Amino acid sequence: MTLEESLAKLKAKIEGSMPQENVAIMHQATKDLETSGIGESILKVGDKAPEFLLPNQEGKMISSKELLQKGDLIITFYRGVWCPYCNLDLGNLKRYKSQFEAQNATMLSISPQLEKQNKQIVERQRLNFDLLSDTENKIAAQFGLRWTMKDPLKSLYKDAFKINLPNYNGDDSWTLPIPARFIIGTDGVIKYVEYSIDYTKRPNPDVLVEALKAI
C-alpha cells in the first residue's frame, strides 16, 4: 500500500467517526487556506533556501550550512505529534533513508513543537533522522509555509479535539506549517518542492528518490 493509499484510508476512518459538522469545519478551513493564495508565497525551485540553526530532539544544534557541505539536504515540515497524518508520513519516510543516503543526501524534519514533543515521536516511531524544533514557525515562515489557525477551526481543535497548540509548541501564536518537502542542493538552491495545503494528502517518497537522481 502506498503512502497516498494509507493516508486516504486513515482519513476515511477518522472522518467517519466524528460528527459531520466537525468534518465540515475542517474541510472549509482547508478550502479557505487553499484560496488564500498562500501557495504563491511558498519558495520555489531555483530560490535560495533560508539557512537555519535549530535544536534537534536531543537539544543538539543542527546547522543547514554544515549539512550542505556534505551533500544535498531533504527537509520535510511536520505539524505535530498530535497529527496522525503527519505521523504516518514520518513513519513511512524513515524507510527511504538508505535510498536518500545512497544519493548522498541527508534527510531531516522541522516542526514547531518543543524538543520534548519531538523526542517523543522520534522514540515512539523509532525515527532514524532528526526532528528539529522551529519555535513560532520562524523558519517555516521563511519558506512561505506558516499560517495561523483561527476560529471555528481553532475552537474545534482546542475544545473538541483537546489539542491545545500552545502546550505542544510553547507559544500562543497558534501557527502551523503547511506540510512540505524540499530538496536543497549543495549550493543552497532549492532543487525540488512539493507541498500539501490539504494536510491529509502527501505524495509517496519515491518522488524524492527520483528527484535526487535528476539533480
Side-chain angles (χ1 to χ4, degrees), residues 4-214:
E4 293 170 308
E5 291 170 337
S6 296
L7 288 170
K9 184 176 179 179
L10 177 63
K11 181 178 181 179
K13 179 180 179 181
I14 291 175
E15 294 190 353
S17 65
M18 67 172 61
Q20 285 306 297
E21 57 266 30
N22 291 352
V23 174
I25 290 173
M26 295 163 64
H27 286 186
Q28 186 61 49
T30 297
K31 182 178 179 180
D32 290 344
L33 189 57
E34 289 174 339
T35 58
S36 71
I38 192 171
E40 297 301 315
S41 71
I42 297 173
L43 295 187
K44 299 172 176 58
V45 172
D47 289 338
K48 191 75 172 180
E51 292 184 0
F52 56 81
L53 180 65
L54 297 172
N56 70 1
Q57 65 279 356
E58 301 294 340
K60 178 183 178 182
M61 300 305 292
I62 304 297
S63 165
S64 61
K65 185 175 181 180
E66 291 181 2
L67 290 176
L68 286 171
Q69 292 174 357
K70 304 174 184 178
D72 298 328
L73 181 58
I74 301 172
I75 302 173
T76 176
F77 283 84
Y78 169 71
R79 286 160 32 108
V81 65
W82 47 267
C83 176
Y85 302 98
C86 291
N87 292 333
L88 182 60
D89 186 19
L90 289 187
N92 188 68
L93 276 169
K94 73 178 183 181
R95 303 186 308 182
Y96 289 80
K97 184 184 179 183
S98 61
Q99 295 185 58
F100 298 151
E101 291 179 339
Q103 300 296 321
N104 198 34
T106 299
M107 177 176 62
L108 57 79
S109 186
I110 296 177
S111 166
Q113 293 185 137
L114 298 167
E115 293 167 30
K116 64 179 182 180
Q117 305 290 354
N118 285 339
K119 185 174 183 178
Q120 181 186 69
I121 195 61
V122 167
E123 292 179 347
R124 181 192 303 170
Q125 299 216 117
R126 299 180 180 179
L127 298 182
N128 51 13
F129 53 90
D130 282 328
L131 187 49
L132 311 186
S133 293
D134 177 23
T135 304
E136 296 182 359
N137 283 289
K138 292 178 181 177
I139 299 302
Q142 292 182 44
F143 278 86
L145 302 169
R146 183 174 65 186
W147 63 280
T148 302
M149 188 182 296
K150 300 178 181 179
D151 284 329
L153 185 65
K154 180 178 176 180
S155 294
L156 182 65
Y157 269 60
K158 185 177 180 180
D159 301 328
F161 299 160
K162 306 303 178 185
I163 298 173
N164 193 334
L165 289 186
N167 292 340
Y168 290 95
N169 299 349
D171 69 81
D172 60 1
S173 66
W174 280 86
T175 59
L176 287 173
I178 290 173
R181 301 173 186 158
F182 295 83
I183 297 179
I184 303 172
T186 54
D187 57 0
V189 174
I190 296 172
K191 308 298 184 182
Y192 172 85
V193 181
E194 64 184 47
Y195 61 88
S196 304
I197 295 179
D198 181 347
Y199 59 89
T200 68
K201 298 178 180 179
R202 324 280 171 93
N204 207 58
D206 290 342
V207 296
L208 292 172
V209 177
E210 295 305 313
L212 283 170
K213 292 177 180 178

